[in-house]
Amino acid sequence: MKQRRAVRARVYKFDATGEISAGPDSLAGEEPLEIRLDGEQFSVTMRTPGNDVELIAGYLLSESVITSMDEIEEIDFSAGLAPDGSRNYNVAAVRLRPGTWSAEAAPARSVYTSSSCGICGTAAIDAVTKTSAYPLIPASFPVDLDEEFRFSPLLSAARIGELPDRLRSQQEVFDKTGGVHAAALFAVGDDPNAEPELLVGREDVGRHNAVDKVIGWAMSHHGTGLPLNRAVLQVSARASFELVQKSAMAGIPMMSAVSAPSALAVDHGKSLGVTVIGFNRRGRFNAYSYPERVA
């Protein structure tokens, strides 16, 4: 069974006059991915097929299961079978390095995670917030934006304003379907005014999956790795709590979104040291936390 990021379908189109026309259209692919850890069922997430190893690595990092790719010994997709007996790659059996993770010590969680939610698979509210292995600020750091700025500039306002268009150039599936989110990582050099390097862009029906995929790419890509403390994450969606948390888990100091942040996302950014940027459109944006990183 072939995995499809975009699926062709017949659609009936109506206009304001009641005229009907029929023709082909493209829909975003969405299939379940079951993740098993050391033989235990851990999660089922709805995703757009493709780059699944990256997705799994980024997801396990965000769930505090692993801190690097070295802790994954094997990812086996052979157990995923379609009703006709063909392989569908929708089940991933992950074998971790001994001592990496314990099912008994892990927080309780429900199995299912929809494509619209990155944390609704967590059963206990206390387990929602994770502790990053790559903290951006010390644990004792006082959070008070009225105090003197503490961070040196990372990227200029002009360069930050260019990121949504650069991300948009990577959205091939969106061009076909209009139904997927996207995320991209940009590497920042010593000069905040220099153009940041586009490292990777990924798409998925779930905005959290797109972020997991780019972080998973960095984890497995030689020469990049974690922490991503000289990187900026650009997303096509709103700045939500779980995306700020995923940024912090990978050590990403700045996350930019084309839409609004939630109040919890801003509060979380302040507590974790993430510069949260929202409404990044047409060269203008709002910085909601740690604006001193903007040159």
Side-chain angles (χ1 to χ4, degrees):
M1 178 179 176
K2 183 180 179 181
Q3 290 185 312
R4 296 176 292 178
R5 296 196 298 166
V7 180
R8 297 292 284 174
R10 185 174 178 82
V11 62
Y12 298 90
K13 302 179 181 181
F14 294 77
D15 64 20
T17 67
E19 291 292 325
I20 306 172
S21 60
D25 197 5
S26 293
L27 307 177
E30 184 176 26
E31 296 180 20
L33 175 64
E34 179 186 343
I35 300 173
R36 300 174 183 171
L37 293 185
D38 294 333
E40 299 284 340
Q41 189 178 47
F42 185 72
S43 179
V44 178
T45 184
M46 299 302 298
R47 96 299 190 196
T48 298
N51 308 112
D52 287 333
V53 170
E54 297 171 357
L55 170 59
I56 292 166
Y59 177 70
L60 294 181
L61 174 81
S62 71
E63 291 294 317
S64 292
V65 174
I66 63 172
T67 59
S68 72
M69 286 296 292
D70 292 339
E71 293 171 327
I72 298 178
E73 292 195 345
E74 181 184 46
I75 300 178
D76 182 9
F77 291 92
S78 62
L81 297 176
D84 63 2
S86 62
R87 184 175 295 180
N88 64 11
Y89 301 94
N90 285 344
V91 177
V94 182
R95 183 162 57 88
L96 300 173
R97 191 176 67 191
T100 297
W101 179 80
S102 167
E104 292 75 19
R109 44 184 305 120
S110 59
V111 171
Y112 177 71
T113 302
S114 75
S115 58
S116 63
C117 176
I119 60 172
C120 49
T122 306
I125 191 65
D126 291 341
V128 169
T129 301
K130 312 295 182 183
T131 300
S132 176
Y134 310 103
L136 291 162
I137 54 176
S140 59
F141 199 70
V143 178
D144 185 352
L145 284 177
D146 293 332
E147 295 183 7
E148 183 180 356
F149 289 161
R150 308 175 182 87
F151 297 118
S152 60
L154 184 69
L155 196 58
S156 72
R159 292 302 188 187
I160 293 171
E162 296 170 352
L163 298 183
D165 286 341
R166 296 186 66 187
L167 170 62
R168 183 67 183 84
S169 69
Q170 304 296 302
Q171 295 182 249
E172 176 185 346
V173 179
F174 181 85
D175 288 338
K176 294 178 180 178
T177 68
V180 291
H181 293 290
L185 278 177
F186 294 87
V188 178
D190 295 331
D191 181 4
N193 296 300
E195 182 178 73
E197 177 189 359
L198 173 60
L199 295 175
V200 61
R202 293 288 184 260
E203 296 179 277
D204 200 279
V205 288
R207 60 180 181 269
H208 55 95
N209 290 339
V211 172
D212 284 338
K213 286 179 178 180
V214 297
I215 293 174
W217 175 91
M219 293 173 67
S220 59
H221 189 73
H222 178 71
T224 304
L226 301 181
L228 293 165
N229 52 16
R230 298 296 299 178
V232 176
L233 173 67
Q234 176 67 48
V235 299
S236 65
R238 63 184 176 89
S240 59
F241 165 87
E242 74 268 21
L243 299 192
V244 172
Q245 178 158 276
K246 288 177 186 294
S247 298
M249 294 300 287
I252 299 171
M254 181 182 289
M255 191 196 81
S256 168
V258 299
S259 192
S262 68
L264 186 58
V266 172
D267 288 345
H268 211 43
K270 290 177 180 179
S271 67
L272 296 177
V274 178
T275 297
V276 177
I277 290 173
F279 293 111
N280 191 352
R281 305 171 185 172
R282 304 180 185 89
R284 296 186 178 187
F285 56 85
N286 298 336
Y288 295 87
S289 58
Y290 303 107
E292 61 270 30
R293 286 201 180 102
V294 181

